[in-house]
Amino acid sequence: MEQMMQYEHKYEHLGYLCGIDEVGRGPLAGPVVACAVILPANHQILYLNDSKKLTAHKREELYDVILREAVAVGIGMVGPAKIDEINILQATYEAMRQAISKLKVAPQLLLNDAVTIPGVEIPQVPIIKGDAKSASIAAASILAKVTRDRLMLQYDKIMPEYGFASHKGYGSKSHIEAIRQYGPSPIHRATFIKNFL
């Protein structure tokens, strides 16, 4: 727990710290989702870690705890058409800016997972592998992942033939075979799947 708070302790004198992370840069389908989270300075949320290291069940549990405990939360999302138009990196930045803009409380500092977001006035600290080093970034990664996974489950109900519930839009063998068999769906990223068609 303590190592997950090292950056929070280092900067807490500045005021509200906001962790930022995204999910969905790599998939062939669906949006990129970013989340901004301000945790209370003395929060006691256990098991915060990089969302990829947690089970789906644990993420769902933590999702509710984080939403209940957080000072403020913002979620940003950029869909496939926009990703194709401006590229995934720019779409990621856009989702992050959206997430920040939806916070009800203005943070004094952003703790970002590995990136510096252009076009943001608030000071930023990019932290490599931040979701494994900062509780705030870990919380953001969990909220972003659960939000996106739930969305992909909804898409799976509408378009079951692609198997979104199992691979969440990532480029698994079965997913690529489904794209070849059924063609692209409205949520596929054209720039990501052109090599498979």
Side-chain angles (χ1 to χ4, degrees):
M1 178 74 187
E2 203 43 43
Q3 97 232 18
M4 292 295 288
M5 294 297 290
Q6 56 183 332
Y7 288 95
E8 281 76 2
H9 292 324
K10 181 175 178 182
Y11 296 113
E12 64 191 356
H13 63 280
L14 296 174
Y16 281 125
L17 308 178
C18 176
I20 296 185
D21 202 3
E22 53 63 40
V23 130
R25 275 170 82 157
L28 309 178
V32 59
V33 176
C35 185
V37 181
I38 302 174
L39 293 175
N42 55 353
H43 77 87
Q44 295 297 314
I45 306 174
L46 300 174
Y47 310 112
L48 284 178
N49 203 336
D50 169 7
S51 64
K52 293 183 283 298
K53 296 188 178 139
L54 300 166
T55 63
H57 178 70
K58 194 78 203 163
R59 285 195 298 265
E60 287 282 347
E61 266 180 24
L62 283 165
Y63 178 92
D64 294 332
V65 176
I66 294 162
L67 283 187
R68 194 170 64 235
E69 301 272 330
V71 174
V73 168
I75 300 258
M77 210 175 289
V78 174
K82 191 76 175 166
I83 291 170
D84 287 332
E85 184 192 326
I86 62 176
N87 83 39
I88 187 61
L89 182 61
Q90 296 310 317
T92 301
Y93 291 149
E94 178 54 35
M96 289 176 165
R97 285 191 290 265
Q98 278 180 27
I100 296 162
S101 73
K102 291 182 181 162
L103 290 167
K104 291 193 290 290
V105 177
Q108 275 68 50
L109 185 72
L110 305 178
L111 302 176
N112 304 346
D113 189 29
V115 298
T116 301
I117 311 159
V120 172
E121 302 290 309
I122 306 162
Q124 309 177 53
V125 179
I127 303 167
I128 303 295
K129 295 210 178 358
D131 47 11
K133 296 176 186 168
S134 152
S136 307
I137 297 175
S141 89
I142 291 163
L143 293 188
K145 175 95 176 108
V146 171
T147 300
R148 191 178 184 283
D149 283 358
R150 287 179 179 179
L151 200 62
M152 296 312 289
L153 291 174
Q154 295 298 318
Y155 285 132
D156 185 71
K157 291 191 176 104
I158 306 163
M159 300 171 273
E161 64 274 21
Y162 294 100
F164 292 132
S166 61
H167 54 63
K168 308 294 189 289
Y170 285 86
S172 68
K173 191 162 172 281
S174 66
H175 186 190
I176 290 163
E177 281 166 8
I179 295 168
R180 289 193 171 128
Q181 186 175 348
Y182 300 106
S185 76
I187 66 158
H188 277 101
R189 305 172 181 178
T191 48
F192 281 49
I193 62 168
K194 56 181 189 290
N195 300 340
F196 304 126
L197 296 171

